[in-house]
Amino acid sequence: MASKTYKWLVVALLWGVALLNYLDRQMLSTMKASMQASIPELQTAANFGYLMAIFLWIYGLMSPVAGIVADRFNRKWIIVISLFVWSSVTFLMGYTTSFNQLFWLRALMGVSEALYIPAGLSLIADYHSDKTRSIAIGIHMTGLYVGQSLGGFGATIAEHYSWQETFHAFGIIGIIYALVLLLLLKEQKMKTSKKVENEAPRPLLKDLKVLFGNLSFWLLLFYFTIPSLSGWGIKNWLPTLFAQNLQIEMAKAGPLSTIALAVSSLFGVLFGGVLSDKWIQKNPRGRIFTSTIGLGLTVPALLFLGFGHSVVHLVCAALCFGFGYGMFDANNMPILCQFVSAQHRGTAYGIMNMCGVFAGAFITNLLGKSTDQGQLGYDLAILAGFVLLALAIFLGKMMRIRIKDF
């Protein structure tokens, strides 16, 4: 049994990994201008899009594999190796001299970063009981938001030094932090009998049969994937929407939109975590109610974002969306723990993550076409209908399903 202090140390240690996970992937998008002189191919928007796309597709394809690995091997080592590899990739990016080198390093980063999330979230879920699971996951998720925000300062650092030195610096930080995890992070040993401990590894097909034979998992997969359309759509296109609807420069629209979204999301995951952990003590559907309330807030937010043309409308809508989506984000793994046993959580979340990322890739491309046609706001507003539909189906079905916590 882990001590009360150590289970929170695990959250603190993995918070740093989550921060680096998003920071390292985001830096490239902010340093495009600085890198163009050294790598001329980046002057073409299509080539830069390939770099973004290869990461997303590799990350999505690797997510189920990452989940399967997390359920079968020591998660401490998965996390340490994952962080070490993507930090080394970040460091090596500072030495790139061609587009092809960047392309393959970006693909390798997609593989290594995908390995982290299922292992990290399932490890936190095992260390924390139903009394603290959502707030623990929520605190961890704030690391992702902070890393995403800090990644935007890559261009600022590159202006004062160079893009090469920026990659080198953050790569070294990650490599050193991997060594810290090697010393301090411990795998959580679940209570199992000697017979189970000495058994051969479980057949993969049998595990997948158990997972996909669980109707509740299919419902969770649907509930996670549909809102991911709006989540990725807002994350990737909100600055453009602000610039178009407010008729301001991207230099102003970018910080205004991303800061509003990141700050509200941070408060959303913390509030959603606390509320969920308290509510579930009184009602087994407390996590579900917390998540659906949060997701419900994104519906009017999407409508105001789509049709708003004033600073007040758009900023308030972005704050509402971020807060609500944060409440939803903080409870996905905790809700999963109520329907999927501990030995299948990594695989389950990996599959959910893949579907969410692929939904993100689809909607990012679709909204790009909408932007060219001048319909970005309209199509974002339409997503409110899909979220509302997913919410109604999920809540209706969940009211009739027996709830238990594994």
Side-chain angles (χ1 to χ4, degrees):
M1 185 73 176
S3 69
K4 291 182 179 180
T5 303
Y6 187 74
K7 71 180 184 180
W8 289 110
L9 178 60
V10 169
V11 175
L13 289 170
L14 296 186
W15 187 91
V17 184
L19 184 149
L20 290 170
N21 187 276
Y22 261 63
L23 189 151
D24 287 350
R25 75 172 73 169
Q26 287 294 116
M27 281 196 302
L28 178 63
S29 63
T30 65
M31 295 196 295
K32 175 186 174 183
S34 302
M35 298 173 69
Q36 286 177 348
S38 304
I39 305 175
E41 292 95 331
L42 293 181
Q43 295 176 11
T44 304
N47 283 337
F48 192 74
Y50 293 147
L51 288 180
M52 299 296 105
I54 188 62
F55 175 87
L56 209 57
W57 286 108
I58 293 293
Y59 185 92
L61 288 170
M62 278 298 300
S63 289
V65 177
I68 292 168
V69 170
D71 285 336
R72 282 167 165 70
F73 298 97
N74 187 295
R75 289 168 295 187
K76 167 189 172 175
W77 283 103
I78 294 172
I79 293 167
V80 170
I81 292 172
S82 173
L83 173 59
F84 181 84
V85 172
W86 92 58
S87 297
S88 298
V89 168
T90 301
F91 180 80
L92 290 174
M93 280 185 172
Y95 289 108
T96 53
T97 57
S98 70
F99 177 80
N100 283 338
Q101 290 173 351
L102 268 180
F103 183 86
W104 290 111
L105 285 173
R106 190 71 175 170
L108 180 57
M109 179 175 279
V111 174
S112 55
E113 288 210 357
L115 288 170
Y116 169 64
I117 288 293
L121 290 184
S122 65
L123 186 61
I124 292 174
D126 284 354
Y127 267 108
H128 289 262
S129 67
D130 59 350
K131 292 183 179 180
T132 58
R133 187 170 286 152
S134 282
I135 186 58
I137 296 289
I139 291 171
H140 172 268
M141 298 300 286
T142 64
L144 301 177
Y145 298 130
V146 173
Q148 184 178 355
S149 298
L150 291 179
F153 289 94
T156 306
I157 299 172
E159 272 186 25
H160 290 84
Y161 300 96
S162 69
W163 63 268
Q164 292 94 337
E165 289 176 316
T166 305
F167 279 128
H168 290 160
F170 285 106
I172 291 172
I173 289 171
I175 291 170
I176 294 172
Y177 197 66
L179 298 178
V180 172
L181 291 182
L182 187 61
L183 297 174
L184 298 180
L185 189 62
K186 299 176 183 177
E187 173 66 276
Q188 166 72 322
K189 296 181 180 179
M190 304 300 292
K191 292 181 179 179
T192 53
S193 65
K194 291 183 178 179
K195 179 181 178 181
V196 174
E197 289 176 352
N198 294 328
E199 280 183 354
R202 303 184 310 276
L204 175 58
L205 290 179
K206 184 178 179 181
D207 275 7
L208 292 176
K209 184 178 180 181
V210 169
L211 191 58
F212 285 109
N214 184 344
L215 293 179
S216 297
F217 173 67
W218 283 102
L219 185 58
L220 285 169
L221 191 61
F222 168 78
Y223 178 67
F224 182 84
T225 303
I226 299 302
S228 293
L229 292 169
S230 60
W232 281 97
I234 291 296
K235 183 187 299 183
N236 292 333
W237 289 104
L238 191 60
T240 302
L241 181 74
F242 268 54
Q244 288 185 352
N245 286 15
L246 298 178
Q247 296 183 341
I248 58 176
E249 296 177 356
M250 185 61 77
K252 295 179 180 178
L256 181 63
S257 59
T258 54
I259 290 174
L261 190 64
V263 171
S264 58
S265 297
L266 190 150
F267 282 105
V269 293
L270 294 178
F271 178 80
V274 172
L275 178 61
S276 176
D277 285 336
K278 289 184 179 296
W279 205 339
I280 199 172
Q281 303 305 311
K282 300 177 181 180
N283 189 318
R285 291 180 174 81
R287 299 200 192 286
I288 292 168
F289 293 151
T290 303
S291 175
T292 52
I293 288 171
L295 199 56
L297 290 174
T298 69
V299 174
L302 284 167
L303 293 174
F304 275 101
L305 283 170
F307 299 119
H309 287 82
S310 73
V311 174
V312 174
H313 283 157
L314 291 182
V315 170
C316 288
L319 290 172
C320 183
F321 184 92
F323 190 84
Y325 203 85
M327 291 176 65
F328 165 77
D329 230 3
N331 283 287
N332 286 317
M333 175 58 91
I335 292 173
L336 183 68
C337 292
Q338 294 185 276
F339 298 96
V340 176
S341 60
Q343 61 263 38
H344 299 123
R345 285 174 191 164
T347 303
Y349 197 86
I351 293 169
M352 288 169 62
N353 205 30
M354 177 189 70
C355 292
V357 170
F358 284 170
F362 166 78
I363 200 65
T364 298
N365 181 57
L366 185 64
L367 291 178
K369 296 176 182 177
S370 297
T371 302
D372 290 337
Q373 296 167 0
Q375 295 183 332
L376 176 59
Y378 178 78
D379 287 346
L380 274 175
I382 287 178
L383 292 179
F386 287 95
V387 174
L388 191 60
L389 178 64
L391 196 56
I393 292 174
F394 178 74
L395 194 56
K397 294 289 185 182
M398 278 298 169
M399 294 304 293
R400 297 195 292 269
I401 293 177
R402 179 173 172 267
I403 308 287
K404 65 177 180 176
D405 196 280
F406 285 95

